[in-house]
Amino acid sequence: MKKVFHKAYKSFESELDNFIENFDVLGEDFGNQERNSLKLFQLGKETINVKSFKVPHLINKIAYRFFRKSKAQRSFEYANKLKDLNIGTPHPVAYYEFKTPFLFKKSYYISEQVDCDYTYRELTTDFNIPNYDDILRAFTRFTFNLHEKGVHFLDHSPGNTLIKKNEKGYDFYLVDLNRMEFKTLDFETRIKNFSKLTIHKSMVEVMSDEYAKCSGKNYDAIFNLMWQETEAFQEKYHRKRRLKKKLKFWKRL
């Protein structure tokens, strides 16, 4: 077993070991995870969030054992990078990995729990949220700030940004961090980064307008590309779903 702690949590090693070793019977289930498990635990006065990544398929068992960093390790390291850049994300606590001499087994990422008011997903389903336009524009400025700091969040999707009110406006926290790049982003990459967020043209119009104000770029150029990439992503997404349904149908025959 490999385990790495943030220095602020090293003194809690025995408690964290217990949470991981007894993950299946301890903790409170949290959220809906299709592929992974998420639980909450009480650690002193703090509530922590433990994400258990599913055991990978055989090829990745080998890849994660010898060639690639695990999702848990990447999540931990990227969270620390975001913190260094003053970008919101739940504070990283630790990660654990279980391996055999030749294969990778399970991994866990632990972070502090952030109690939020919304996720971005709520913005796509409830247009009556108070100060809706302000929140969407603040989110767009947050994304622009990511891009300016060279952060390409590859899973910039509706459930992966937490939104919390503060006295002056809103704080944003990125979660599900294991797929990121840190580099200078060109215009096309920046705008394509919005493509997974919504199906609503009205939201794309607002985000395009705010991004144009932040960047000084032409609104029409931003909107046309953002909407084009949004439609392309939706077409790809629904094509994959249709294919999965067909495969399930043929398997039942």
Side-chain angles (χ1 to χ4, degrees):
M1 179 177 69
K2 175 184 177 182
K3 50 188 177 180
V4 176
F5 302 91
H6 188 279
K7 60 183 180 181
Y9 282 91
K10 179 63 178 172
S11 62
F12 292 95
E13 181 173 356
S14 61
E15 292 96 325
L16 294 170
D17 285 353
N18 181 51
F19 296 157
I20 298 302
E21 291 165 6
N22 298 286
F23 182 82
D24 291 337
V25 295
L26 297 178
E28 174 189 348
D29 290 331
F30 179 74
N32 296 314
Q33 294 280 312
E34 292 182 8
R35 293 171 294 177
N36 308 304
S37 298
L38 212 58
K39 286 190 172 185
L40 300 181
F41 295 83
Q42 198 65 32
L43 185 67
K45 295 181 180 180
E46 294 285 345
T47 301
I48 61 168
N49 183 314
V50 182
K51 185 170 187 176
S52 169
F53 293 97
K54 75 169 186 177
V55 177
H57 57 68
L58 180 59
I59 293 175
N60 277 344
K61 283 182 179 180
I62 297 169
Y64 289 144
R65 178 63 183 85
F66 296 105
F67 307 112
R68 296 180 61 196
K69 293 180 179 180
S70 71
K71 292 182 179 180
Q73 181 177 353
R74 280 180 278 151
S75 297
F76 181 81
E77 291 179 353
Y78 293 164
N80 279 293
K81 285 187 178 182
L82 293 178
K83 286 290 185 182
D84 289 342
L85 292 169
N86 199 30
I87 292 169
T89 193
H91 190 80
V93 173
Y95 74 90
Y96 285 68
E97 295 176 342
F98 293 84
K99 308 173 184 178
T100 70
F102 300 104
L103 295 175
F104 186 91
K105 292 296 186 179
K106 293 229 23 156
S107 64
Y108 300 82
Y109 172 58
I110 308 173
S111 61
E112 292 181 1
Q113 175 69 5
V114 171
D115 293 322
C116 63
D117 295 293
Y118 313 105
T119 68
Y120 183 94
R121 190 180 304 281
E122 276 80 69
L123 299 182
T124 69
T125 59
D126 184 0
F127 295 97
N128 295 314
I129 289 173
N131 303 311
Y132 181 94
D133 188 77
D134 290 342
I135 299 172
L136 186 55
R137 289 181 181 275
F139 167 82
T140 306
R141 294 192 296 272
F142 171 73
T143 301
F144 174 77
N145 185 49
L146 292 183
H147 296 164
E148 287 292 285
K149 292 182 176 180
V151 179
H152 187 201
F153 185 29
L154 297 171
D155 285 324
H156 205 27
S157 54
N160 289 342
T161 300
L162 312 181
I163 305 170
K164 190 171 183 177
K165 298 176 187 176
N166 63 41
E167 292 180 357
K168 297 181 179 179
Y170 302 90
D171 292 321
F172 299 88
Y173 300 84
L174 299 183
V175 297
D176 203 358
L177 304 180
N178 68 86
R179 296 201 322 124
M180 284 191 169
E181 295 174 338
F182 295 86
K183 62 181 185 179
T184 300
L185 277 65
D186 60 30
F187 175 75
E188 288 75 16
T189 302
R190 287 170 175 240
I191 303 308
K192 188 174 181 178
N193 201 210
F194 287 84
S195 65
K196 299 178 182 178
L197 289 166
T198 182
I199 62 172
H200 301 292
K201 183 178 280 191
S202 60
M203 295 181 71
V204 173
E205 289 171 343
V206 172
M207 292 189 296
S208 298
D209 180 64
E210 192 63 29
Y211 205 91
K213 291 176 180 176
C214 292
S215 64
K217 300 289 186 181
N218 178 267
Y219 165 80
D220 289 329
I222 292 173
F223 170 77
N224 290 336
L225 182 58
M226 195 182 294
W227 185 241
Q228 174 187 314
E229 294 292 349
T230 296
E231 289 188 310
F233 173 76
Q234 288 299 319
E235 174 56 31
K236 181 180 178 181
Y237 171 78
H238 289 294
R239 187 166 60 245
K240 286 175 69 175
R241 292 199 59 173
R242 289 193 296 268
L243 179 59
K244 284 183 180 179
K245 286 183 179 179
K246 288 180 181 178
L247 290 174
K248 287 182 180 178
F249 172 78
W250 287 109
K251 284 180 180 179
R252 287 198 297 265
L253 294 180

